[in-house]
Amino acid sequence: MDLDAKARFALISENLAEVLNPELIENTLAEGRNPRVYWGTATTGRPHCGYYVPALKIAQLLAAGCDVIILLADIHGFLDNLKAPIELVESRAIYYRKVITAILESVGVPTGKLEFILGSSYQKSPEYVMDVYRLSSVISEHDAKRAGAEIVKQSANAPLSGLLYPILQVLDEEHLHVDAQFGGLDQRKLFVAAKEWLPKLGYRQRAHLVNPMIPGLQGGKMSASEEDSKIDLLDAPETVSKKLRKAEAIPRVTEGNGILALVEFILLPATTLKGSKEFRVERSRDGLEPLVYTDIKQMHNDYENDVLTPQLLKPAVSAALINLMAPIQAAYQASTEWQEIALKAYPPAQKKQKKVKDKGSRHPGRKDGEVVGAAESLVIRTVDAGTSQSDQ
């Protein structure tokens, strides 16, 4: 059944933390056009299970008839304090495309209408580069830092590239010819900046779809660069179980609870896409019927009242996540190409060779005939007490 403009907007805005300039999307729908929306991801660390959150929203955008572009922001990854070394950027972009496609397919979302665009395919064009210069001339260093404060790695003596990062992301809206940008709550300052900056160059404002952020397993946000905060999409089942057992989950406290957030933002929405919205918590060890949730509010209520405990919740979430990620891992194991790309994109860390300390030829405890190192070849000269320096 075709959705009317009101129903399409309801689907586009569902479960979002906020929509900036919603009237721009409503006007597009009223004109009978499909909103063109882009979501960008810097191709840096390995994608983790938190990527299900934007993927599930992308599924809704597609269902609402939006034209969805996924920007593989390779240059952004390089600009963000060299998180993506230039020699690895190309392989990481390919890896990201494979992972994102596999995430969507694992929850039954058709990917034929998705458009993947590599940032470097247009961000090096003369027109784009000239716009970078133009925008750089009309915004301050302070404004650029503020816009990128929560998405660009901050340091005491940060490279200039960090100031370019938000400029590029704002210009992407114009050069990708979109009606809206979709991203996480951590990008809100940049979205507000885009509304202010684009008109300075004579370009129109865009709407912004702000997604909630999923907490990490140890508090804070889930991050690709913090191993203990995330579950990698290719983590083995035993690794998933171990990480969740160690995860922070204070009894009766729902705020900032990363385990409950996995259910709210990933597991329940994923079952909805598959046709049966529910999350089950087994209690067979206690001889009790399972707890079955179709609503996160009821789950929070049970957790606050200690009906649902961390000891019950963690194994249930672990089993559900392992099941959800199984198709992705199967696709990876079946693809030699994907495995080769993974090695190129994320080569194993080289072990540092332990440096043998040269103790010299006269170190205490040296045995006769023991070869110590380069110091053995040195000629040791002694100076008689009665010899002047000029005689040496």
Side-chain angles (χ1 to χ4, degrees):
M1 183 188 303
D2 291 336
L3 301 175
D4 60 21
K6 186 176 181 180
R8 292 176 70 188
F9 180 77
L11 194 55
I12 289 169
S13 58
E14 186 178 340
N15 296 330
L16 291 176
E18 188 178 5
V19 179
L20 303 178
N21 288 93
E23 71 281 356
L24 297 180
I25 296 177
E26 291 174 320
N27 293 341
T28 300
L29 292 169
E31 294 169 5
R33 291 195 298 110
N34 291 339
R36 185 172 166 87
V37 183
Y38 102 86
W39 173 66
T41 178
T43 53
T44 54
R46 286 177 180 267
H48 49 72
C49 69
Y51 277 67
Y52 268 102
V53 180
L56 293 167
K57 188 63 207 179
I58 287 169
Q60 287 187 309
L61 295 175
L62 290 170
C66 296
D67 296 329
V68 180
I69 297 92
I70 294 180
L71 173 64
L72 300 172
D74 52 344
I75 289 182
H76 285 78
F78 173 69
L79 290 176
D80 189 2
N81 216 10
L82 301 182
K83 282 185 180 178
I86 198 69
E87 64 272 13
L88 302 180
V89 160
E90 183 179 357
S91 295
R92 289 191 177 182
I94 297 171
Y95 183 88
Y96 264 65
R97 177 168 183 161
K98 287 184 174 295
V99 166
I100 293 165
T101 300
I103 290 173
L104 290 165
E105 290 176 345
S106 74
V107 290
V109 178
T111 58
K113 291 186 178 180
L114 277 179
E115 183 180 357
F116 285 89
I117 295 179
L118 191 64
S120 57
S121 68
Y122 68 92
Q123 289 168 344
K124 295 187 288 185
S125 70
E127 296 80 11
Y128 190 95
V129 172
M130 192 64 218
D131 272 351
V132 172
Y133 295 154
R134 292 172 63 206
L135 193 52
S136 299
S137 72
V138 295
I139 62 170
S140 68
E141 175 190 3
H142 173 269
D143 288 347
K145 281 185 176 179
R146 181 179 61 184
E150 295 188 40
I151 56 172
V152 180
K153 186 174 181 180
Q154 303 292 311
S155 59
N157 189 26
L160 184 60
S161 58
L163 299 179
L164 290 175
Y165 189 110
I167 291 174
L168 266 66
Q169 187 165 339
V170 167
L171 290 174
D172 288 339
E173 295 184 359
E174 174 66 24
H175 287 263
L176 289 173
H177 312 293
V178 297
D179 300 296
Q181 182 179 174
F182 165 55
L185 192 59
D186 59 340
Q187 301 190 57
R188 191 183 187 283
K189 289 180 181 178
L190 195 146
F191 292 163
V192 171
K195 291 172 57 182
E196 298 173 357
W197 295 358
L198 285 178
K200 292 179 183 290
L201 299 188
Y203 297 142
R204 63 185 175 92
Q205 290 186 350
R206 270 66 179 190
H208 295 91
L209 310 177
V210 187
N211 221 26
M213 299 292 293
I214 183 169
L217 300 181
Q218 303 298 330
K221 74 174 184 177
M222 190 171 287
S223 170
S225 60
E226 296 180 23
E227 188 62 33
D228 289 339
S229 79
K230 63 167 185 171
I231 292 174
D232 192 290
L233 292 164
L234 298 178
D235 274 345
E238 57 272 20
T239 303
V240 174
S241 298
K242 182 179 179 180
K243 285 184 177 180
L244 284 167
R245 283 196 302 271
K246 293 169 59 180
E248 183 178 295
I250 302 171
R252 298 177 180 268
V253 177
T254 58
E255 186 176 352
N257 188 314
I259 309 297
L260 284 171
L262 289 172
V263 180
E264 180 177 0
F265 296 113
I266 297 175
L267 298 173
L268 267 178
T271 60
T272 303
L273 284 175
K274 293 183 176 182
S276 58
K277 183 180 181 180
E278 69 170 35
F279 181 78
R280 297 173 67 87
V281 179
E282 297 295 338
R283 298 189 294 174
S284 55
R285 287 186 180 180
D286 300 324
L288 300 172
E289 293 293 317
L291 297 169
V292 181
Y293 298 101
T294 58
D295 179 63
I296 195 63
K297 290 181 180 178
Q298 181 59 49
M299 194 173 192
H300 280 189
N301 186 59
D302 279 0
Y303 194 84
E304 289 168 351
N305 290 297
D306 215 29
V307 174
L308 175 62
T309 63
Q311 291 75 20
L312 289 171
L313 179 62
K314 287 183 177 183
V317 171
S318 178
L321 263 182
I322 290 169
N323 182 62
L324 182 63
M325 297 191 301
I328 296 175
Q329 300 193 1
Y332 175 79
Q333 294 299 333
S335 174
T336 304
E337 179 191 2
W338 189 353
Q339 294 169 36
E340 290 174 351
I341 283 295
L343 283 174
K344 290 180 181 178
Y346 303 99
Q350 296 293 322
K351 290 185 178 180
K352 292 184 178 180
Q353 295 292 328
K354 187 175 181 181
K355 189 175 181 179
V356 179
K357 188 174 181 180
D358 186 352
K359 298 177 181 178
S361 60
R362 301 289 179 185
H363 67 82
R366 176 178 179 263
K367 298 176 182 178
D368 291 339
E370 179 183 358
V371 177
V372 179
E376 285 292 340
S377 62
L378 294 178
V379 176
I380 308 299
R381 297 193 297 168
T382 59
V383 180
D384 291 336
T387 307
S388 68
Q389 293 289 330
S390 61
D391 294 331
Q392 294 180 33

